[in-house]
Amino acid sequence: MFSYDLKVGYSCNNKCKHCVIDDSKDRLVERKKSIDLSTEECFSLINQAIKSGTKYIVLTGGEVSIRRDFPDLLKKCAEEKLSITVQSNGRLLGKNKLLSIYKDIFDIRFVIALHGAEKTHDFITQVNGSFQETCNSIKNLVKINKLVILKVVISKINMDSLPEIVNIAKNLGVKYICFAFPHGQGAARKNFEEVIPTYKELKLYLDRTIEIAKLLEIQIEFEDIPFCVIPKAMHLVGELKYLNGGGAYCTQVKEETFNWNQVRKDIKSKSEKCSRCDLTSICEGVWSEYAESF
């Protein structure tokens, strides 16, 4: 069974310093094309995915919740009996009108971006007040018993506050966090020196984060963190979930659909030392631009 990741557009009410979509958005702007799909285009892609056999869909962007047709997209997916994941910055998700829609959808979960305490988060999103809006939405979603997963993009800006994010999650009632190492594309490429840390710099903060998560009974995983960076907690490497097979297909805005599980491996690299590691057959390595830079 495969999941389908539908990027409905690149418009967003945040402007995160690490956002990877900037390059794709810039290409559309240069070609004088819309950076967002129409409702009809979204429905067409959803129908194609259903015909291909998917039961799982991720609605993402940009920011999906700023669209006027967001309720229509939710209702369409629910009517088709799809398992829905909404990936969002969360700022608008807690509105009463939307909450009333979620209550009627059983199979829905939310992956919400939170990148630090208030000052750090707002600096990264470049929007004052975004932290409070996101936290308020998370609280409202938890109140109606919806599954919320925090998605934290690790950076030089927030790496010293990673342990603090676990405490924030606990206070918000969130029980699962995904920490992701940044892909140096888009805004992260433009802000590379400000955003991209080395694994050596990160290690102390990752170890402390793991300790606090265990103490507070918060489940965590790490994306794009190799086994050798967290040797005492290798079970937390997020890519392990892909070993069971299945596909993760994605359609960028006005581009061809691709298999993310394959593309992801193609844009990663390993060093010569990696070939001598016992885990090389299951380790994906690091983002290629990281290997080139460091």
Side-chain angles (χ1 to χ4, degrees), residues 23 56 94 126 136-137 166 188 192 195 210 224-225 236 253 272:
D23 291 335
Y56 307 92
Q126 302 189 80
N136 288 339
S137 290
V166 181
F192 196 93
V195 169
I210 292 167
D224 308 304
I225 300 289
L236 300 180
V253 180
E272 188 177 332

Side-chain angles (χ1 to χ4, degrees), residues 156 159 196-206 294:
K156 277 186 178 181
M159 63 183 183
I196 310 294
T198 64
Y199 290 114
K200 184 177 181 180
E201 290 174 307
L202 270 183
K203 192 174 186 331
L204 177 65
Y205 303 117
L206 296 181
F294 300 116

Side-chain angles (χ1 to χ4, degrees), residues 192-227:
F192 196 93
E193 291 187 6
E194 182 183 13
V195 169
I196 310 294
T198 64
Y199 290 114
K200 184 177 181 180
E201 290 174 307
L202 270 183
K203 192 174 186 331
L204 177 65
Y205 303 117
L206 296 181
D207 291 344
R208 182 59 181 150
T209 301
I210 292 167
E211 290 174 7
I212 293 178
K214 184 175 181 179
L215 181 66
L216 297 181
E217 298 182 321
I218 301 290
Q219 287 185 272
I220 63 173
E221 70 172 58
F222 296 103
E223 285 185 6
D224 308 304
I225 300 289
F227 295 102

Side-chain angles (χ1 to χ4, degrees), residues 124-178:
I124 289 172
T125 64
Q126 302 189 80
V127 177
N128 291 332
S130 60
F131 175 83
Q132 287 297 336
E133 289 180 326
T134 296
C135 288
N136 288 339
S137 290
I138 292 171
K139 290 175 184 176
N140 289 338
L141 290 168
V142 170
K143 282 180 184 177
I144 62 171
N145 298 313
K146 296 304 180 183
L147 174 60
V148 176
I149 297 171
L150 292 191
K151 184 67 174 281
V152 182
V153 177
I154 299 167
S155 69
K156 277 186 178 181
I157 301 166
N158 69 2
M159 63 183 183
D160 60 345
S161 60
L162 298 182
E164 184 180 8
I165 294 173
V166 181
N167 281 299
I168 292 172
K170 183 73 173 181
N171 292 333
L172 291 173
V174 174
K175 299 178 180 178
Y176 201 105
I177 311 172
C178 173

Side-chain angles (χ1 to χ4, degrees), residues 206-272:
L206 296 181
D207 291 344
R208 182 59 181 150
T209 301
I210 292 167
E211 290 174 7
I212 293 178
K214 184 175 181 179
L215 181 66
L216 297 181
E217 298 182 321
I218 301 290
Q219 287 185 272
I220 63 173
E221 70 172 58
F222 296 103
E223 285 185 6
D224 308 304
I225 300 289
F227 295 102
C228 54
V229 178
I230 48 172
K232 295 182 180 180
M234 292 189 289
H235 61 288
L236 300 180
V237 171
E239 284 74 21
L240 285 170
K241 61 179 174 284
Y242 298 124
L243 296 179
N244 295 326
Y249 288 83
C250 177
T251 305
Q252 303 279 60
V253 180
K254 303 182 187 302
E255 295 182 23
E256 295 296 319
T257 299
F258 59 88
N259 185 339
W260 174 237
N261 283 359
Q262 183 57 54
V263 171
R264 188 183 65 254
K265 295 175 184 177
D266 292 342
I267 56 179
K268 287 185 174 181
S269 300
K270 295 182 182 180
S271 72
E272 188 177 332

Side-chain angles (χ1 to χ4, degrees), residues 93-112:
L93 288 182
K95 302 296 183 182
N96 289 333
K97 182 179 179 181
L98 290 174
L99 290 170
S100 64
I101 296 173
Y102 311 145
K103 285 181 179 178
D104 295 330
I105 302 176
F106 172 73
D107 197 356
I108 188 170
R109 68 175 188 167
F110 301 86
V111 178
I112 297 180

